[in-house]
């Protein structure tokens, strides 16, 4: 998915690395595989969502365990991000129109949860922030890259990426199972996670969060696992 200071996913699966040395992003294969969706209807609806600038908080998925895609290991964990120069990488490889449009809606200094996906224990591992707003994803033009898109043109690129920087690890890992328990309870009580995109738009590797969702998840750090 993201790359080391390169370009980091939201594609047909986890995103891979970019020229920067990191992984490109990709939609979760089993859990939320981001497959390239060519539907013009989806692109239109994604554009509408993006235009609303509906979020200042995000959840972004990457695979922390090794997996080869077209000979490229798409592994990229929050530990990999932290190990990058300046703890910064590009978030490349997103090949889903809606996820791409969310990338394009991001602003400098906005915060995102780094979510480990398609692994033994998926969940939220840490926090990062946006340090460079959307620009063309170089992997779309690289013929040997798993995210190469021959239909994208240099003068009119289809796909974008942002640069992200490590902020901190979560005080404790927040597993998907725990988030799901709260989501199900909140559907009945009207709590903050009742409409969380992680459960209502599972295929997206880049997802918006409301302030209430973001704050509630942060509050879980201080509590014993439920």
């Amino acid at each position: 998915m993201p790359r080391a200071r390169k370009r980091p996913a939201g594609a047909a699966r986890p995103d891979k690395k970019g020229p920067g040395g990191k992984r490109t992003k990709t939609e979760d294969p089993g859990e939320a595989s981001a497959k390239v969706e060519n539907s013009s209807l989806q692109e239109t609806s994604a554009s509408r969502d993006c235009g609303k600038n509906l979020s200042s908080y995000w959840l972004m998925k990457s695979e922390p365990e090794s997996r080869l895609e077209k000979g490229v290991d798409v592994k990229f964990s929050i530990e990999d991000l932290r190990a990058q120069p300046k703890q910064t990488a590009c978030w490349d490889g997103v090949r889903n129109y809606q996820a791409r449009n969310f990338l394009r809606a991001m602003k400098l200094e906005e915060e995102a949860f780094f979510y480990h996906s398609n692994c033994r224990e998926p969940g939220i591992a840490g926090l990062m922030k946006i340090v460079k707003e959307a620009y063309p994803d170089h992997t779309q033009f690289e013929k040997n890259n798993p995210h190469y898109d021959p239909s994208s043109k240099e003068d009119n690129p289809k796909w974008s990426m942002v640069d992200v920087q490590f902020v901190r690890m979560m005080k404790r890992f927040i597993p998907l199972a725990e988030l799901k328990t709260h989501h199900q309870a909140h559907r009945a009580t009207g709590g903050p996670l009742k409409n969380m995109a992680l459960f209502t738009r599972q295929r997206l590797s880049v997802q918006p969060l409301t302030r209430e969702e973001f704050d509630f998840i942060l509050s879980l750090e201080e509590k014993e696992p439920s």
Side-chain angles (χ1 to χ4, degrees), residues 10-60:
R13 300 209 323 182
D15 300 330
K16 324 265 175 209
K17 305 183 170 188
K22 310 212 161 185
R23 242 71 0 256
T24 80
K25 309 294 166 200
T26 149
E27 316 301 308
D28 280 314
E31 167 192 18
S33 260
K35 314 239 168 183
V36 179
E37 298 184 342
N38 298 316
S39 162
S40 58
L41 288 177
Q42 179 172 2
E43 184 168 10
T44 300
S45 65
S47 298
R48 286 197 213 103
D49 283 344
C50 181
K52 295 177 183 177
N53 196 16
L54 50 113
S55 180
S56 295
Y57 301 93
W58 309 92
L59 181 148
M60 300 167 73

Side-chain angles (χ1 to χ4, degrees), residues 130-148:
I130 309 307
V131 293
K132 184 174 181 179
E133 294 177 8
Y135 61 104
D137 178 347
H138 62 279
T139 64
Q140 65 195 302
F141 305 120
E142 299 173 352
K143 292 184 179 180
N144 62 347
N145 191 287
H147 298 299
Y148 173 61

Side-chain angles (χ1 to χ4, degrees), residues 4 11 18 27 30 60 66 90 106 118 133 144 151 205 222 224:
E27 316 301 308
M60 300 167 73
S66 290
C90 59
M106 292 175 178
N118 194 33
E133 294 177 8
N144 62 347
S151 68
S205 64
E222 310 295 341
E224 292 294 321

Side-chain angles (χ1 to χ4, degrees), residues 75-130:
K75 171 186 177 295
F76 191 72
S77 67
I78 193 167
E79 290 84 1
D80 293 321
L81 174 61
R82 184 169 56 178
Q84 295 303 319
K86 298 184 179 179
Q87 300 183 315
T88 299
C90 59
W91 203 265
D92 57 36
V94 173
R95 296 296 181 268
N96 170 285
Y97 286 119
Q98 191 164 40
R100 175 207 67 184
N101 284 7
F102 287 138
L103 289 176
R104 291 179 176 179
M106 292 175 178
K107 302 300 180 186
L108 290 178
E109 300 300 315
E110 288 182 345
E111 294 180 286
F113 286 124
F114 194 119
Y115 182 94
H116 283 173
S117 67
N118 194 33
C119 56
R120 283 166 290 184
E121 185 173 33
I124 295 172
L127 276 168
M128 57 189 179
K129 65 181 178 180
I130 309 307

